[in-house]
């Protein structure tokens, strides 16, 4: 089932359904569509791009140094290719559209490891809903481990 809402952009509304795999207190949500936002460096208009096939890994990690703690890792499958022309029909920038060297994608994504250091990209809403269900399921299945992870995360500054 794909998401559909009249106010959503087409790239979000047509997102394929994510696939959930559980293994103990770790979950992998596959086939995730990630939404990337950037802007034209000429007219400053924002546009949205999407990549499919990403995944979200989440759960409780247990290590000797920190003990049990919550984690999630967003892993887009790749970076999107910017459009050849600015999508804004009022933009007077000459074609072809050159990639914006100051874009969020260019500055904040390590293309070798597909990790990022900025608010983009973000998974589509259905994947975020599924992630919320994962947290609830892990808490219900492993209540003692979840309580220990909550305590450990409260001790870390900047977590929740």
């Amino acid at each position: 089932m794909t998401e559909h809402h009249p106010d959503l952009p087409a790239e979000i509304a047509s997102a394929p359904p994510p696939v959930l795999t559980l293994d103990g207190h770790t979950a992998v949500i596959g086939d995730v569509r990630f939404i990337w936002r950037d802007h034209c460096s000429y007219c400053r208009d924002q546009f949205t791009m999407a990549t499919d096939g990403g995944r979200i890994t989440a759960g409780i990690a247990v290590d000797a140094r920190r003990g049990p703690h919550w984690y999630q890792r967003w892993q887009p499958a790749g970076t999107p290719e910017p459009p050849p022309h600015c999508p804004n029909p009022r933009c007077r920038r000459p074609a072809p559209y050159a990639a914006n060297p100051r874009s969020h994608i260019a500055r904040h994504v390590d293309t070798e490891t597909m990790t990022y250091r900025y608010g983009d990209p973000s998974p589509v809403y259905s994947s975020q809903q599924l992630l919320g269900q994962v947290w609830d399921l892990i808490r219900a299945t492993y209540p003692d481990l979840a309580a220990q992870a909550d305590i450990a995360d409260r001790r870390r500054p900047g977590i929740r």
Side-chain angles (χ1 to χ4, degrees), residues 129-146:
Q129 285 180 313
L130 192 55
L131 185 58
Q133 294 171 10
V134 163
W135 297 133
D136 294 341
L137 181 63
I138 291 173
R139 282 185 185 286
T141 309
Y142 302 97
D144 295 336
L145 196 58

Side-chain angles (χ1 to χ4, degrees), residues 20 38 69 79 84:
L20 174 62
D38 206 344
H69 58 277
T79 55

Side-chain angles (χ1 to χ4, degrees), residues 4-91:
H4 179 69
H5 190 278
D7 297 333
L8 293 175
E11 62 272 1
I12 296 173
S14 64
V19 177
L20 174 62
T21 307
L22 289 169
D23 183 17
H25 46 78
T26 299
V28 176
I29 303 172
D31 294 335
V32 175
R33 173 168 287 172
F34 280 88
I35 303 300
W36 304 70
R37 290 170 185 83
D38 206 344
H39 63 276
C40 173
S41 57
Y42 189 79
C43 71
R44 312 297 292 166
D45 214 32
Q46 180 175 310
F47 57 90
T48 305
M49 300 169 284
T51 55
D52 288 331
R55 71 181 184 177
I56 300 172
T57 308
I60 300 175
V62 181
D63 63 47
R65 186 176 61 88
R66 288 178 42 197
H69 58 277
W70 296 100
Y71 76 96
Q72 65 177 304
R73 185 173 303 116
W74 293 359
Q75 298 168 299
T79 55
E81 192 65 34
H85 304 284
C86 176
N88 178 5
R90 295 181 306 261
C91 182

